[in-house]
Amino acid sequence: MLTAEQNERLTRVGPGTPMGNLLRRYWMPVATVGEMRERWTKRVRLMGEDLVLFKDRSSNFGLIAEFCPHRRASLAYGIPETDGIRCPYHGWKFDGSGQCTDQPNEPAGSTFKDRVATPAYPVSEMGGMLWGYLGPLPAPLVPRLDGFVAAGAIRHVGEAIVPCNWLQIMENSLDPVHTEWLHGLLYEFIKERDGVKVAIARHHAKIAFDEFEYGIIKRRLLEGQSEDSDDWKVGHPVVFPNVLAVGSGGGLWQQYTFQIRVPIDDENTRHYWYHAYVPPKGSVVPRHLLDDVPLYEPPIVAEDGSYLLDYIHGQDIMAWTTQGKIADRSRENLGGSDRGVTLYRKMLEREIAVAEAGGDPKCVIRDPAQNEYIELPLERNKDMFLDGFESLFRRHMSIFSPIAEEIIAVFAQKPREPAGIA
Amino acid sequence: VVTPEENELLTRIGPGTRMGALMRRYWQPIGTAGEMQGKALKRVRLLGEDLVLRHGADGTFELFEATFPRGGAPATYPVAELGGLLWAYLGPLPAPLVPRLDGLVAEGTIRILGKAVIPCNWLQIMENSLDAVHTEWLHGHFFEFVKESEGLKVSFTQRHVKIGFDEFEYGIVKRRVLEGHSEDDDDWKIGHPIVFPNTLAIGNASPAWHEYRFQIRVPIDDTHTQHYWFGAFVLPEGATAPAHLLDRVHEYDTPICQPNGDFMLDSIHGQDIMAWVTQGAIADRSRESLGSTDRGITLYRRMLLRELKRMEAGEDPKNVIRDPAQNGTIVLPLEGTKAQRADGFETLFRRHQVRYSPIAEEILEVLRSGRAPELVSAS
């Protein structure tokens, strides 16, 4: 249980807040590259700041405050130029550094523009995503996690705006036993009439959490499993501070999944489900599946506003949002299975202190040699995946992807031999 | 730069606020006689007050508070009719006269009235009217950007060489010189006015193309504005109009966004609405950076504060009219030719919100019949 003050401290992400300052030390995805092919600007609200991601006519990206410092019209409707963007209202031009470079109706020779600048942040491209960095400069590197950069993978990314605070979503990832209930027994209950049974409902005999270089490794031993199983020996990580890495590192198949929780503000989270599938050896993969990272929007509620309880992410979203806009941790009762949650909270507090003392907090990477390819621990044979690729895929939000059936078709060719492309 | 306190003072218009008291010294339109035909009651929210407009069987109108203490009598307010519009007065009695602005009382015109609720404070909408150069960008370069794939070019992009603002009896006259034009042009010599405190008067005043346009910004509350686009088209010499076009004010709802919620960026009013609304529910003027082209805005803000003080000193503020002799017809300054209208009447008409009027095509037909072809289309 936390005090109300501790809860505020851990959840609030606006400018100047302790947690906001910590999270600003990390690159956050703000769009996909593909999404910006079709447009010049995208409104991005990030950690309580209203920003605009823009592309100029030289294809450079910029991330600047949404509201023009002149009279506060929105640069989301800006006019792109070769070297910046103009406000639609009076044509003031800003470059990617936020400097005002032209005020077309001020007198010739005026120095007013030199004294006007708007907040601006660095943008980077990695893994088909565009990332923004809102922290103190110099910016660190964008961590090249394995799934973002693995060669020959089919990728797609789902996006949803989840109307609750980011922390309760992250805590869900430090909570192994919820899968047994929320995705297992609840799912079987929802499907009771159909008599559906799923592997994920198996009972947890044991859980464990270990800090490692990039975050926390989560392990589980399900009833009937031996301690030699990957679920216990290898596990999978929460990458500090806001990414869950799941999937399967090869075995039944090879798949990377990152669930990235990007705080929009204190009460809304942009949730990305980033997937990279390495096709089985010998598979024939249509070229277009390798060229792009399509973006899709899985629904978070049904048309009538009710939760979508018949698939895994709909179940998660129900749990997250029913906890409240900001879960009231002063009224919780943590048990033995919640020690991953406690470990994570302590780590957040510890890293806030590191950042406040002037250090680089955990997982801030500045050495290019370290950043070539960050291989994360990941189970090969996951007990929960025993139902098979297609069965699991169809229970995931990935089923809403425009390339869903094509991915299933690729994996249906030779489902049990990972690696390699045609 | 304005402090947060000054911004509050300038924008808030609810009961008991200082700016609200100033705005209550002016008649505000609350609807039309036409919309009340066969209708007994209409809910009206005005200056943060919930009111009910009652249409009696004898044709008279009454305006009273929507809620009032048990056993008590509701406060009632005067209602007047002018130019087909119904006007309400929420200030101290005796009420002044409803200003008989030229376009409202001109005989034999075709009159239309577009209506929309804009989800932002009234002041940023008014300030847009004191901001001459925005047309070059918002309705010029930005328009061309929106229509880039079609290669559209518009005369609004002509550069402003000079802008001017002068106080006159009824408000502020706004002037401009565009590149390639001179101070002898109507754009500079005559200009067009903001009628204090909350009306923009535009249009055209040449014999071949004579129309009045008023944009009246009526505060519903601090964060919503009832916007009226009033138009009165004078028939060109030789043109005739069917009686149904002349016998009433033709009302319509002006859409402020597309069905999907996006702004309508391919029309002049849609561009304005985007600018107004994105400035925020109440624009934060403590975070603006005004340049030299914003001096019309500064002049207008100073005028609001000056008239507020005059009112608080017990005087009638600017443009409160009590002398019937002065109120025969108030003729406002208006350009006869405007450089920004070089694209031609019909092209401009279609780029404006008037295109949503149910009689839009009929108006065009009537005006074409008496108008030189070069005014109809500039192609």
Side-chain angles (χ1 to χ4, degrees):
Chain A
M1 196 168 89
L2 299 180
T3 64
E5 293 69 34
Q6 287 168 326
N7 198 31
E8 291 280 297
R9 186 175 156 84
L10 282 177
T11 52
R12 303 270 174 192
V13 294
T17 59
M19 185 56 75
N21 287 340
L22 176 64
L23 291 178
R24 279 169 174 72
R25 298 302 186 99
Y26 301 92
W27 289 91
M28 298 282 172
V30 292
T32 69
V33 173
E35 178 179 14
M36 292 303 288
R37 221 170 275 141
E38 307 297 320
R39 54 196 303 172
W40 295 100
T41 61
K42 180 188 175 184
R43 236 190 206 113
V44 173
R45 188 165 156 81
L46 182 55
M47 294 187 279
E49 296 185 45
D50 289 308
L51 307 174
V52 169
L53 175 68
F54 72 89
K55 180 176 68 180
D56 68 19
R57 290 191 192 266
S58 313
S59 293
N60 296 313
F61 291 102
L63 184 63
I64 60 177
E66 177 178 354
F67 302 106
C68 177
H70 176 210
R71 291 193 42 235
R72 311 202 60 73
S74 174
L75 292 166
Y77 298 93
I79 308 169
E81 298 254 326
T82 51
D83 52 357
I85 190 168
R86 285 190 190 274
C87 178
Y89 207 2
H90 304 91
W92 285 20
K93 185 159 93 172
F94 299 90
D95 66 17
S97 77
Q99 179 60 46
C100 182
T101 56
D102 189 26
Q103 293 165 328
N105 295 90
E106 288 300 311
S110 163
T111 59
F112 182 33
K113 69 175 191 313
D114 305 332
R115 286 172 277 128
V116 174
T118 199
Y121 303 109
V123 180
S124 266
E125 188 179 330
M126 200 271 295
M129 309 276 303
L130 294 164
W131 304 72
Y133 175 79
L134 274 56
L137 299 176
L141 302 172
V142 187
R144 291 168 58 84
L145 304 182
D146 45 16
F148 289 123
V149 291
I154 304 171
R155 297 184 166 85
H156 63 173
V157 56
E159 177 189 8
I161 309 296
V162 181
C164 71
N165 184 262
W166 68 284
L167 183 61
Q168 59 219 54
I169 304 180
M170 279 309 297
E171 288 179 345
N172 173 74
S173 297
L174 275 306
D175 171 9
V177 306
H178 89 273
T179 57
E180 170 185 338
W181 287 95
L182 187 66
H183 309 311
L185 296 162
L186 173 75
Y187 183 68
E188 291 181 357
F189 165 65
I190 300 288
K191 294 280 187 183
E192 197 165 62
R193 273 192 315 194
D194 306 331
V196 169
K197 296 289 168 198
V198 287
I200 204 168
R202 212 158 352 147
H203 187 62
H204 283 74
K206 210 159 120 172
I207 55 173
F209 306 90
D210 298 292
E211 181 164 357
F212 80 122
E213 187 173 8
Y214 299 107
I216 298 173
I217 296 173
K218 185 170 59 168
R219 307 167 198 278
R220 52 164 56 95
L221 189 67
L222 301 176
E223 212 158 57
Q225 272 187 308
S226 98
E227 295 197 1
D228 289 334
S229 65
D230 282 1
D231 281 326
W232 183 255
K233 259 193 357 211
V234 185
H236 64 268
V238 165
V239 180
F240 194 80
N242 65 331
V243 177
L244 167 69
V246 287
S248 182
L252 297 182
W253 62 77
Q254 193 161 336
Q255 168 190 337
Y256 304 93
T257 297
F258 299 128
Q259 296 191 13
I260 316 170
R261 287 73 186 250
V262 184
I264 292 172
D265 51 33
D266 292 340
E267 300 188 343
N268 294 282
T269 304
R270 187 182 303 277
H271 199 291
Y272 284 113
W273 290 270
Y274 185 100
H275 295 268
Y277 308 88
V278 177
K281 196 181 283 176
S283 307
V284 179
V285 184
R287 191 74 238 172
H288 74 270
L289 290 185
L290 300 171
D291 285 348
D292 201 7
V293 183
L295 177 74
Y296 60 98
E297 289 179 34
I300 64 166
V301 288
E303 267 174 31
D304 65 1
S306 64
Y307 290 110
L308 294 162
L309 297 178
D310 63 348
Y311 84 109
I312 288 174
H313 299 97
Q315 294 152 4
D316 276 329
I317 287 164
M318 178 276 283
W320 303 337
T321 57
T322 60
Q323 285 179 295
K325 284 280 183 193
I326 301 179
D328 183 358
R329 294 175 181 75
S330 71
R331 300 172 70 190
E332 65 187 10
N333 294 284
L334 298 189
S337 65
D338 298 308
R339 60 183 188 281
V341 171
T342 312
L343 176 67
Y344 174 63
R345 292 181 190 170
K346 282 193 187 129
M347 193 179 285
L348 286 170
E349 281 289 0
R350 187 189 73 200
E351 298 304 320
I352 286 176
V354 169
E356 285 177 351
D360 270 345
K362 192 177 184 73
C363 224
V364 164
I365 299 165
R366 297 188 187 273
D367 174 8
Q370 182 193 347
N371 201 37
E372 267 171 37
Y373 185 84
I374 297 176
E375 191 169 1
L376 298 168
L378 202 56
E379 305 92 339
R380 287 179 166 264
N381 291 294
K382 250 174 103 89
D383 186 83
M384 286 174 181
F385 286 10
L386 283 176
D387 297 328
F389 182 86
E390 182 168 353
S391 161
L392 205 72
F393 194 99
R394 291 195 186 280
R395 264 183 276 145
H396 258 259
M397 37 71 65
S398 317
I399 199 62
F400 297 105
S401 164
I403 58 168
E405 294 303 328
E406 289 180 282
I407 294 173
I408 289 170
V410 167
F411 277 78
Q413 295 167 0
K414 275 189 186 176
R416 289 192 161 260
E417 278 183 65
I421 351 158
Chain B
V1 181
V2 167
T3 65
E5 295 69 33
E6 288 165 336
N7 199 32
E8 291 283 294
L9 168 62
L10 282 168
T11 54
R12 303 269 177 193
I13 43 66
T17 60
R18 294 174 68 197
M19 192 51 71
L22 180 64
M23 293 300 276
R24 280 169 171 75
R25 296 300 184 100
Y26 300 91
W27 288 91
Q28 304 287 352
I30 54 170
T32 63
E35 72 174 312
M36 294 306 287
Q37 266 181 9
K39 198 171 162 185
L41 298 170
K42 180 191 172 182
R43 191 179 282 177
V44 174
R45 189 163 159 81
L46 177 60
L47 295 166
E49 294 187 45
D50 288 307
L51 310 169
V52 174
L53 177 66
R54 182 170 168 272
H55 189 196
D58 57 355
T60 57
F61 290 100
E62 268 187 305
L63 184 68
F64 51 87
E65 288 179 298
T67 55
F68 49 95
R70 192 174 190 156
T76 63
Y77 300 108
V79 179
E81 197 178 333
L82 180 74
L85 289 159
L86 295 170
W87 304 74
Y89 177 80
L90 271 56
L93 299 174
L97 303 171
V98 186
R100 292 171 55 84
L101 303 183
D102 45 14
L104 295 174
V105 296
E107 299 274 334
T109 60
I110 303 174
R111 291 171 299 170
I112 59 173
L113 183 73
K115 301 176 288 186
V117 174
I118 314 289
C120 72
N121 184 262
W122 66 283
L123 183 60
Q124 61 220 55
I125 304 179
M126 279 310 296
E127 288 179 342
N128 174 74
S129 298
L130 276 306
D131 171 7
V133 304
H134 89 273
T135 57
E136 175 184 333
W137 287 95
L138 188 65
H139 309 314
H141 295 287
F142 177 67
F143 200 162
E144 291 184 356
F145 167 64
V146 169
K147 294 281 192 179
E148 193 166 65
S149 61
E150 299 168 29
L152 179 77
K153 297 289 166 198
V154 294
S155 56
F156 271 87
T157 52
Q158 293 171 89
R159 215 178 113 69
H160 283 75
V161 174
K162 197 167 159 185
I163 54 175
F165 306 90
D166 297 293
E167 181 163 359
F168 80 122
E169 187 172 7
Y170 299 106
I172 298 172
V173 176
K174 186 172 57 169
R175 307 169 198 278
R176 50 166 59 98
V177 178
L178 299 177
E179 206 156 61
H181 300 270
S182 82
E183 294 184 15
D184 291 331
D185 289 336
D186 286 0
D187 280 329
W188 183 259
K189 258 190 357 210
I190 303 176
H192 63 266
I194 277 76
V195 180
F196 194 82
N198 62 330
T199 300
L200 165 70
I202 49 176
N204 217 66
S206 71
W209 178 350
H210 195 180
E211 69 185 54
Y212 303 93
R213 298 278 185 91
F214 298 134
Q215 297 189 14
I216 314 173
R217 288 73 186 251
V218 184
I220 294 172
D221 51 33
D222 291 339
T223 55
H224 296 85
T225 303
Q226 177 71 56
H227 200 288
Y228 290 107
W229 288 268
F230 176 89
F233 300 89
V234 179
L235 301 192
E237 218 172 85
T240 53
H244 75 271
L245 290 186
L246 300 171
D247 64 7
R248 61 180 178 274
V249 176
H250 297 265
E251 295 173 48
Y252 56 97
D253 290 321
T254 299
I256 66 165
C257 57
Q258 303 176 43
N260 67 5
D262 287 349
F263 290 112
M264 310 181 81
L265 299 176
D266 64 346
S267 76
I268 289 173
H269 85 285
Q271 293 153 3
D272 276 328
I273 289 169
M274 177 273 281
W276 304 337
V277 172
T278 62
Q279 285 179 297
I282 300 179
D284 183 356
R285 293 174 182 74
S286 70
R287 298 174 69 191
E288 66 187 8
S289 320
L290 297 189
S292 65
T293 60
D294 298 308
R295 60 184 189 277
I297 291 169
T298 315
L299 175 69
Y300 174 62
R301 289 179 190 169
R302 277 205 301 263
M303 194 179 283
L304 284 169
L305 294 173
R306 185 192 73 199
E307 296 306 318
L308 181 60
K309 293 214 176 80
R310 275 182 67 190
M311 176 200 73
E312 289 173 345
E315 291 176 54
D316 270 344
K318 190 178 184 72
N319 219 7
V320 164
I321 298 164
R322 298 189 186 274
D323 175 7
Q326 184 193 347
N327 204 33
T329 297
I330 297 175
V331 178
L332 298 168
L334 194 57
E335 303 92 339
T337 53
K338 279 180 75 128
Q340 288 178 334
R341 302 199 167 198
D343 294 335
F345 173 80
E346 185 165 340
T347 307
L348 262 170
F349 188 95
R350 292 191 192 283
R351 259 186 249 151
H352 254 271
Q353 58 80 39
V354 289
R355 70 192 188 194
Y356 299 107
S357 164
I359 58 165
E361 293 305 321
E362 287 180 278
I363 294 174
L364 283 172
E365 201 175 306
V366 167
L367 298 185
R368 265 188 219 119
S369 69
R371 180 159 290 161
E374 66 270 20
L375 280 177
V376 175
S377 169
S379 62

